[in-house]
Amino acid sequence: MKKIAVLISFLATFSFTSCNDDYKFTLDVTKKTTLNSLVTITLKEKNNKPLDEVQFFINGKEISANGNSATINTAQLGVGKHAVSVLAFYPGKTKKENNSFEVLADKAPAIYSYEIINSFPHDKKAYTQGLEYHKGFLYETTGRKGQSTLRKVEIKTGKVLKKINLDKKYFGEGMTILNNKIYWLTWQAKKGFVYDLETFKQDKEFTYNKSQEGWGLTNNGTELIKSDGSNKIWFLDSETLSEKKSIQVYTNKYALDNLNELELIEDKIYANKYQQNVIVIIDIKTGVVLGVANLSNLKKEMEKTQKLVPEDEVLNGIAFDKENNRLFVTGKNWAKLFEIKLIKK
């Protein structure tokens, strides 16, 4: 009798475990949607077995749920790819299910043309990576190993008033000015440098570990804003220089990558798209591409007086004079700096 009781107990335990193991889940969510729409995420169990609890997460943050479903407005997330995970609790066990969805912009970007207001001389040996206007002067960084420099430039003449060289082992990239400091990125070394604005003396260095590389740089007065060659824009704490968060950049059709030199103008990020000779205008909160300015004819204007290397000596460099509402652009090794006005079509 004792053996029979043990056998019955074993079979009961085996049966209970087998039933628990039999739970089969699917996590349903719309794969593509648009900004400002609602997304519903639903966890289903194949045989409608009871669950003790269900927890929903988007990008690692828990969201409120209603039983086996959760709904969120994509306006809270911004455009881009978003990870979904669910924890299902059932008798004696927990199981995690993963999925994702993609949010596109809900409208097409506006198209801009341009008008040339002025042109000025520019050093055609300057492989421009970063450009910024500050108190009547342009500050510029140039790239390529062994040729990377930081410069202070007179706008009307193109004269280089001050210049320092970056260590030859680094490929210099974008720069920005904040609180009398110059912040300068390198391309693939995952390292940036900080300089005194007046003396160009190096103050310190910093690293970036979440973003892929160093491309463009601007700031909003409290944070550094950085591109890394992907479709992401990163925000760095201006004190610790750590990467706090990122947004993804999307049109109504696709992700927009190869974002390069940056400039913040009236709470919108203006970005060169590498090798495309365009400027894209990005909503700083959502990542939506609000506008596209095709400046390919500006490159053709340059080619009237200068032969440019295809896919290399391209448009790159955006600087904005807020006080006088002047927008400056140039390119890698371009012999001219242009003041332009963007015109919405």
Side-chain angles (χ1 to χ4, degrees):
M1 290 296 294
K2 186 175 181 181
K3 289 183 179 180
I4 293 174
V6 170
L7 179 61
I8 291 172
S9 176
F10 171 77
L11 291 173
T13 302
F14 178 78
S15 175
F16 177 75
T17 303
S18 298
C19 288
N20 285 342
D21 286 342
D22 242 353
Y23 275 71
K24 303 292 183 183
F25 296 106
T26 57
L27 183 58
D28 294 342
V29 62
T30 301
K31 297 307 291 182
K32 281 192 178 183
T33 187
T34 56
L35 193 66
N36 299 312
S37 62
L38 297 178
V39 169
T40 298
I41 308 157
T42 304
L43 181 71
K44 295 179 180 178
E45 201 288 314
K46 182 179 180 181
N47 298 307
N48 295 316
K49 293 182 179 181
L51 299 174
D52 296 331
E53 185 183 359
V54 181
Q55 295 178 346
F56 289 81
F57 301 83
I58 294 182
N59 300 327
K61 294 182 180 180
E62 188 173 3
I63 61 171
S64 58
N66 182 16
N68 289 11
S69 293
T71 300
I72 190 167
N73 192 323
T74 57
Q76 299 175 243
L77 303 172
V79 292
K81 292 181 179 178
H82 300 284
V84 177
S85 58
V86 172
L87 288 178
F89 298 86
Y90 54 101
K93 292 194 175 183
T94 304
K95 190 169 185 181
K96 184 178 182 181
E97 295 289 335
N98 298 308
N99 208 330
S100 65
F101 62 94
E102 190 173 25
V103 180
L104 305 176
D106 55 356
K107 61 180 68 175
I111 304 301
Y112 290 79
S113 60
Y114 69 93
E115 176 187 351
I116 297 175
I117 306 300
N118 276 309
S119 64
F120 308 97
H122 180 253
D123 182 3
K124 66 179 182 180
K125 293 182 180 180
Y127 193 76
T128 305
Q129 301 288 71
L131 194 69
E132 189 154 327
Y133 176 91
H134 185 75
K135 294 184 178 179
F137 298 95
L138 286 179
Y139 290 79
E140 183 175 17
T141 48
T142 68
R144 290 187 170 146
K145 286 186 178 181
Q147 301 176 38
S148 299
T149 62
L150 167 63
R151 306 165 173 219
K152 180 179 181 180
V153 180
E154 191 172 67
I155 295 175
K156 288 185 177 180
T157 65
K159 182 180 179 181
V160 178
L161 303 176
K162 188 181 294 186
K163 181 175 76 170
I164 61 168
N165 297 316
L166 188 62
D167 189 304
K168 292 182 179 180
K169 66 182 177 181
Y170 296 118
F171 190 120
E173 284 282 347
M175 57 79 63
T176 193
I177 298 169
L178 178 62
N179 298 329
N180 294 315
K181 299 288 185 182
I182 298 172
Y183 298 82
W184 187 7
L185 301 176
T186 62
W187 180 25
Q188 295 178 318
K190 290 191 173 290
K191 182 181 290 188
F193 299 96
V194 184
Y195 300 85
D196 182 88
L197 175 63
E198 298 301 323
T199 66
F200 279 16
K201 182 179 178 181
Q202 185 179 320
D203 180 41
K204 60 182 177 180
E205 60 183 55
F206 61 99
T207 58
Y208 32 93
N209 299 311
K210 295 180 181 178
S211 53
Q212 292 182 2
E213 297 175 343
W215 285 45
L217 197 63
T218 187
N219 74 84
N220 60 9
T222 58
E223 300 166 306
L224 303 186
I225 302 172
K226 174 184 179 296
S227 64
D228 67 354
S230 71
N231 72 309
K232 286 187 176 182
I233 300 287
W234 294 85
F235 293 78
L236 282 65
D237 186 283
S238 61
E239 294 297 326
T240 66
L241 299 174
S242 62
E243 294 159 314
K244 297 162 48 180
K245 62 180 181 179
S246 65
I247 57 172
Q248 301 175 64
V249 178
Y250 269 73
T251 69
N252 59 317
K253 294 182 178 180
Y254 46 74
L256 207 62
D257 60 4
N258 283 331
L259 301 172
N260 204 356
E261 217 273 308
L262 305 178
E263 183 76 14
L264 187 68
I265 305 174
E266 296 176 348
D267 292 326
K268 298 179 181 68
I269 300 171
Y270 285 57
N272 287 126
K273 191 175 190 308
Y274 183 51
Q275 296 184 331
Q276 296 297 306
N277 297 294
V278 301
I279 290 176
V280 295
I281 303 169
I282 303 162
D283 187 309
I284 194 172
K285 292 181 179 178
T286 64
V288 168
V289 177
L290 302 172
V292 177
N294 186 350
L295 304 186
S296 57
N297 283 337
L298 198 60
K299 179 174 176 285
K300 293 178 181 178
E301 179 69 25
M302 277 301 312
E303 290 175 323
K304 291 178 181 179
T305 56
Q306 180 184 352
K307 185 176 181 179
L308 300 176
V309 177
E311 299 183 357
D312 183 31
E313 295 177 337
V314 294
L315 179 80
N316 198 55
I318 311 168
F320 185 61
D321 172 8
K322 183 178 180 180
E323 289 72 25
N324 299 295
N325 194 32
R326 295 188 295 172
L327 178 63
F328 300 100
V329 297
T330 191
K332 299 173 183 289
N333 295 337
W334 286 20
K336 289 184 180 180
L337 170 82
F338 294 95
E339 178 190 344
I340 65 170
K341 178 182 179 181
L342 296 183
I343 302 168
K344 191 174 184 180
K345 289 186 176 182

